[in-house]
Amino acid sequence: MAKFDYAPAPESRAVVDIKPSYGLFINGEFTDSEGGSAFKSISPATEEVLAEVTDASPADVDRAVAAARRAYNGVWGRMSGADRGKYLFRIARILQERAREFAVLESLDNGKPIRESRDVDVPLAAAHFFYHAGWADKLDYAGLGTAPRPHGVVGQVIPWNFPLLMLSWKIAPALATGNTVVIKPAETTPLTALLFAEVLQQADLPPGVVNIVTGAGATGQAIVDHPDVDKLAFTGSTGVGKMIARSIAGTRKKATLELGGKAANIVFDDAPIDQAIEGIVNGIFFNQGHVCCAGSRLLVQESIAEEVEQRLKRRLGTLRVGDPLDKNTDVGAINSKAQLNRITELTAAGEAEGAERWDNGCELPAKGFWFRPTVFTGVSQTHRIAQEEIFGPVLSVLTFRTPHEAVAKANNTPYGLSAGVWTEKGSRILWMADQLRAGVVWANTFNKFDPTSPFGGYKESGYGREGGRHGLAAYVTTGDAK
Ligand code: TAP
């Protein structure tokens, strides 16, 4: 199909000042590592080195936890909710003021299209701080139990798919409830967290309230294992989540785990097809499919399956894959070589197991990590591409005949994070929402996020909720509990 030619419309990267190297943000200032090493953060779109970043040692994590403890005992744990709220408001406002810087840096470091970092990640990150600023002085009235109190020092480990947004999901509720924080961004996307450290300085947040330690899995493990961490909040893979659960078993540490997903996006024959096609595209090709709640399994009613597949392929032919900083780009770079290898391996398995592979045939840049938007039809439930999280721009299409069959297939997964239902019948939406074992069920839409709305999983998608009142509950202990 003929495509319109768009002139390049690149966002300027001059708006952001990337330093050649970064230390660790501990006790309100950047410091050198004690015994740690360094690694490079690269742009996945060009493989260009963006900056050198510190790989924090256990001694560094120990310093960060000690700083968080001092800040908790000395200032933050005693501060009134109204005063804490003022800091959160300030952070939210500064994030808004520096939104372009954050959007450009996120797209450079992560590979996601600037349209998404500019219109989704950064505004939602600010919204989380605004929302939680409002709760800080109202916790006694939030229905969390008698006299809610903070846990103390919270250790947080986040993934690379929404670096700034996941940081905000973690830090905003922790601070609103009076906890102090030691957070580790993902190894491949540390730069917006380090820029966020500047925001904390600008907001005059007391030293030690938030500490940012960069590094790989071992640094995350050092946070998990640290004896003076009271609570852990982790977002990442189910495999690492299980390891964390095992590490803290038998300790006093509380934990929330936000893990993987394999969501069903279910399209009935009475659905508004044009909107459903957009919802399917948004569901799996948003953020290159690096989304835990991505609609990676399309369940389409048999009577309309052929039509939906045809229209979907036509639509995918118009997606622009390429430069993340170009405002016309729909699908950016795959975040890392390792992730590209995993997607390549799983899609090869899909073909080997007999599913029919199709991609949009677009040209890919010569350098960097890229994967064409891909659809598998003729997928059966036992195929690996129907069971395992691919975490890339790959859709597996299955069919069903009846609502009961749709529910059975949708729930036939170890995960349970999200689902989508497309139908014109309100009663069917309610029935489906009741039957689906998923933390979030979207109706006639997909991938909509809001800080007021709790997000989290069933089964191997983890436990605990983030966002809304439910998210606050994970960061407090009540007078009833000891
Ligand atoms: P992971 O490999 O699990 O990494 C997540 C974070 O944990 C990273 O910061 C990672 O460090 C760190 N980590 C690795 N090993 C660790 C250990 N032994 N102890 C403590 N921390 C450790 O996942 P990922 O590949 O970054 O992210 C993709 C996965 O996250 C997908 O499965 C996706 O579904 C899930 N995810 C879930 C959600 C929600 S809300 N449920 C949201 C986003 C992503 P390194 O960066 O150095 O590896």
Side-chain angles (χ1 to χ4, degrees):
M1 192 183 132
K3 272 185 243 166
F4 294 110
D5 278 332
Y6 278 61
E11 177 72 65
S12 165
R13 58 180 284 179
V15 296
V16 62
D17 175 26
I18 307 176
K19 298 188 175 54
S21 68
Y22 290 87
L24 304 165
F25 186 70
I26 296 177
N27 206 34
E29 53 189 20
F30 282 97
T31 71
D32 290 338
S33 169
E34 284 174 14
S37 50
F39 63 92
K40 294 178 172 52
S41 195
I42 65 165
S43 152
T46 59
E47 299 175 57
E48 164 202 354
V49 173
L50 297 171
E52 201 168 83
V53 178
T54 306
D55 190 5
S57 66
D60 296 325
V61 169
D62 194 45
R63 275 193 300 144
V65 173
R69 177 61 63 193
R70 277 195 307 278
Y72 177 72
N73 290 338
V75 42
W76 199 250
R78 304 160 172 219
M79 191 182 282
S80 72
D83 284 341
R84 287 199 309 271
K86 288 180 202 163
Y87 284 102
L88 282 137
F89 270 120
R90 229 182 261 173
I91 293 168
R93 292 289 292 127
I94 298 170
L95 274 178
Q96 286 187 320
E97 281 162 18
R98 302 183 66 173
R100 250 180 101 202
E101 253 176 282
F102 274 100
V104 169
L105 187 58
E106 198 73 299
S107 284
L108 278 170
D109 203 22
N110 168 281
K112 66 175 69 198
I114 186 75
R115 245 182 26 216
E116 292 177 6
S117 49
R118 182 194 65 197
D119 298 347
V120 182
D121 296 54
V122 179
L124 267 178
H128 271 266
F129 280 98
F130 276 120
Y131 174 74
H132 287 94
W135 270 124
D137 62 349
K138 302 174 193 67
L139 298 174
D140 284 343
Y141 318 102
L144 301 172
T146 317
R149 307 187 299 280
H151 291 294
V153 175
V154 178
Q156 305 182 322
V157 179
I158 52 174
W160 45 261
N161 55 346
F162 292 93
L164 180 73
L165 184 57
M166 288 298 113
L167 171 145
S168 306
W169 280 29
K170 295 276 179 290
I171 293 181
L175 296 196
T177 46
N179 298 278
T180 57
V181 166
V182 176
I183 189 166
K184 187 195 91 67
E187 187 182 356
T188 57
T189 55
L191 297 187
T192 47
L194 293 163
L195 186 61
F196 183 78
E198 286 181 22
V199 171
L200 300 177
Q201 288 177 323
Q202 228 179 314
D204 264 335
L205 191 75
V209 174
V210 172
N211 304 275
I212 301 171
V213 287
T214 47
T219 306
Q221 189 74 50
I223 295 176
V224 170
D225 291 341
H226 198 288
D228 203 30
V229 165
D230 299 300
K231 177 207 153 60
L232 287 161
F234 170 79
T235 295
S237 59
T238 293
V240 174
K242 285 182 182 178
M243 276 164 51
I244 291 176
R246 276 195 291 271
S247 301
I248 62 167
T251 73
R252 67 189 165 83
K253 288 176 194 163
K254 303 267 187 291
T256 39
L257 302 176
E258 302 281 0
L259 310 175
K262 190 74 187 175
N265 204 358
I266 306 165
V267 181
F268 285 95
D269 60 5
D270 63 347
I273 299 292
D274 288 337
Q275 276 137 284
I277 296 293
E278 290 309 306
I280 296 163
V281 171
N282 170 38
I284 182 64
F285 300 107
F286 169 66
N287 203 36
Q288 296 72 247
H290 300 328
V291 183
C292 48
C293 51
S296 52
R297 287 183 299 152
L298 172 64
L299 299 188
V300 56
Q301 199 152 14
E302 203 175 82
S303 50
I304 56 163
E306 217 178 293
E307 184 190 353
V308 167
E309 279 168 24
Q310 275 172 10
R311 288 212 213 180
L312 182 63
K313 289 176 179 172
R314 200 180 325 139
R315 176 70 178 89
L316 293 181
T318 67
L319 288 185
R320 304 195 136 64
V321 181
D323 181 7
L325 285 189
D326 192 315
K327 291 170 214 159
N328 290 323
T329 292
D330 298 304
V331 179
I334 300 303
N335 180 252
S336 64
K337 182 94 179 100
Q339 188 58 26
L340 180 59
N341 289 345
R342 178 168 165 76
I343 298 168
T344 306
E345 191 258 317
L346 267 167
T347 46
E351 259 179 296
E353 286 183 321
E356 194 178 320
R357 178 180 188 149
W358 177 93
D359 69 47
N360 78 351
C362 66
E363 257 179 64
L364 297 179
K367 280 205 110 179
F369 315 129
W370 305 93
F371 202 87
R372 290 192 184 93
T374 297
V375 176
F376 278 98
T377 48
V379 177
S380 85
Q381 292 190 79
T382 54
H383 288 166
R384 285 181 67 196
I385 54 168
Q387 288 293 326
E388 294 179 34
E389 190 177 36
I390 301 174
F391 223 57
V394 181
L395 179 67
S396 300
V397 184
L398 298 96
T399 58
F400 66 90
R401 290 182 182 169
T402 66
H404 281 96
E405 188 187 344
V407 166
K409 285 185 167 165
N411 286 340
N412 181 17
T413 161
Y415 296 110
L417 197 53
S418 66
V421 180
W422 297 82
T423 171
E424 67 161 15
K425 292 186 186 62
S427 57
R428 182 178 282 166
I429 289 170
L430 294 176
W431 183 80
M432 292 290 291
D434 192 47
Q435 301 292 311
L436 291 166
R437 307 294 292 161
V440 180
V441 180
W442 285 292
N444 293 328
T445 187
F446 208 92
N447 273 344
K448 287 276 182 286
F449 306 98
D450 190 291
T452 65
S453 176
F455 183 92
Y458 281 59
K459 301 193 276 186
E460 293 198 12
S461 291
Y463 43 79
R465 294 289 179 268
E466 290 186 304
R469 271 192 328 111
H470 301 72
L472 288 172
Y475 282 96
V476 296
T477 171
T478 65
D480 324 311
K482 248 290 165 239

